[in-house]
Amino acid sequence: MPSEFDLIARHFTRPPRDAARVPLGVGDDCALVAPAAGMQLAISSDMLVEGRHFFAQADPALLGHKCLAVNLSDLAAMGARPLGFTLALALPAADDDWLRAFAGGMLALADAHDCDLIGGDTTRGPLNICITIFGEVPTGQALRRDAARSGDDIWISGTLGDARLALAGYRREIELDAASLQRAGRRMHVPMPRVALGQALRGIAHAAIDISDGLVGDLGHILERSGVGACIDADALPAGPELAAHPSELRRPFALAGGDDYELCFTAPASARESVLAAAAECGTPVTRVGRIDAAPGLRLVDRNGAPLSLQLASFDHFASP
Amino acid sequence: MPSEFDLIARHFTRPPRDAARVPLGVGDDCALVAPAAGMQLAISSDMLVEGRHFFAQADPALLGHKCLAVNLSDLAAMGARPLGFTLALALPAADDDWLRAFAGGMLALADAHDCDLIGGDTTRGPLNICITIFGEVPTGQALRRDAARSGDDIWISGTLGDARLALAGYRREIELDAASLQRAGRRMHVPMPRVALGQALRGIAHAAIDISDGLVGDLGHILERSGVGACIDADALPAGPELAAHPSELRRPFALAGGDDYELCFTAPASARESVLAAAAECGTPVTRVGRIDAAPGLRLVDRNGAPLSLQLASFDHFASP
């Protein structure tokens, strides 16, 4: 069996593409990273565990993609430009085919975002994938959760709920035809982080967050940190193309609290509507206005006629969920 | 059961101590880190798995200490000053007492090194602890593995082998009296990373590495990356106080390839001997000269009389070991 050093070297080690920003990559006690002048580093960690965040028999190439995508999504939500990441990997065995596919999926997405794998760790253990990602953002321009203001519009990128629809299909909570399940499943397995949009919104948006645990829960973090409330039109939420074919009893909860969407939820002043739409068009990313930030605490849901909705919605929580 | 957000908030969240270097800590999509002008960031990740890196019933306070210590040791080996770290934690259950003790042990060591916990992730899963640590080092002054030169002295900080002696005692490979096992065990459970020494060696040492997998294996990385060889006097190695009482048949292999030492192995030109000793004295860390870097590839071992030794030594390897 190859040693851990061989494994790392064979599948993951490549020279950094920009020696000015990453003077030293994989292979020493530490990597060295040099952000450009006037830049801060945005840093985020995510840990993905088999059986909790992905199925035991997950396709390794898709899994490699998704593990990096969820981290890139955190950079997107800060308006940061990707720079590099570390990968720590616990594996039950050193399976060469699995590693090749996993590395392939991960590094293809890394290449698409000019993001170097700069270091990490490999060990034997129950499958666990931990990525820490680094991006650059100009000092003072990060899109923070605590920056929403009363009167701001609330915007959503792309569409919501298809990943949750796929999960319902896999779990047999609902019956989906095979083609629909496959299309929805791609939203679950191959999320596309909104990295370009996040950067384009710098100087335009106030607060931003990425929607990983469901809109209600994640918007809740903005409201709590900003000390504000919000009203959301549940029928204005852009349902994914597969979810859109289902009745509103399914559409509303899956769009509001489905999770695994990896879209951006952001707030911006009403005076910036044209700028938001122009920034989104420049990135080729659709955005939809779905509500408003209020001074009064709490989250209020209404239907398309403005009538209050009282939905029993629980945001996805790794410990509190059954 | 408290939610993951409650857990993180209760045990781990504290405001960053230096808002200039860490403008934004735990609680957003990313933390923000701003290295000072002229500084590069040194970054390292380590993942520790139950049953592989620590015993299932490990004391959580000692475990918290050790997980951060092994990462601080990587910064020490680069000559970097600690700045902050992220913690990703998979736990089989949300045990409040365990988390309090674990956080206590970890944050006490973090405080001792002015190192902020700036972010992370918590999820349910088999116990897995992944830390990514960040330090600052002046541009061009990092102690790299590829910088050893023929003729350099090879130095070791502190002592080697007591952690391996403790492991042998726990495994009943050898019989140790309870007091000796306890003292040796502290070297295994409570390593003290050589953070001050690493920084003091900037501009003096050429190459450096921390000894986590055993001197032979770790020095081997310096030799490989620097394109040089070395000769080590196995009897000059500073054995730990417990190991020192044992015969050389045990002392040599445990000092050469024991692992879990977290001492620094570094090289420096012979002309710098006084500077090395002065830097070490300033930090209160003993250092010992144990060999020499040669142009000829490979690692040669000799005894105190210069006679060649042929020891069958395998460096600790997480995948290749039985």
Side-chain angles (χ1 to χ4, degrees), chain A residues 181-224:
Chain A
L181 180 57
Q182 191 179 19
R183 287 190 298 267
R186 276 200 72 79
R187 274 303 299 268
M188 183 184 199
H189 299 306
V190 195
M192 298 307 288
R194 301 301 192 179
V195 175
L197 180 64
Q199 293 171 75
L201 290 172
R202 293 195 305 231
I204 299 172
H206 283 160
I209 194 167
D210 74 315
I211 306 174
S212 54
D213 296 336
L215 172 61
V216 166
D218 288 321
L219 175 59
H221 295 307
I222 288 184
L223 303 185
E224 186 189 347

Side-chain angles (χ1 to χ4, degrees), chain B residues 141-162:
Chain B
Q141 291 190 33
L143 306 176
R144 298 167 56 142
R145 296 182 180 180
D146 60 6
R149 296 178 211 166
S150 178
D152 277 2
D153 295 326
I154 300 171
W155 298 80
I156 302 290
S157 69
T159 64
L160 302 174
D162 269 4

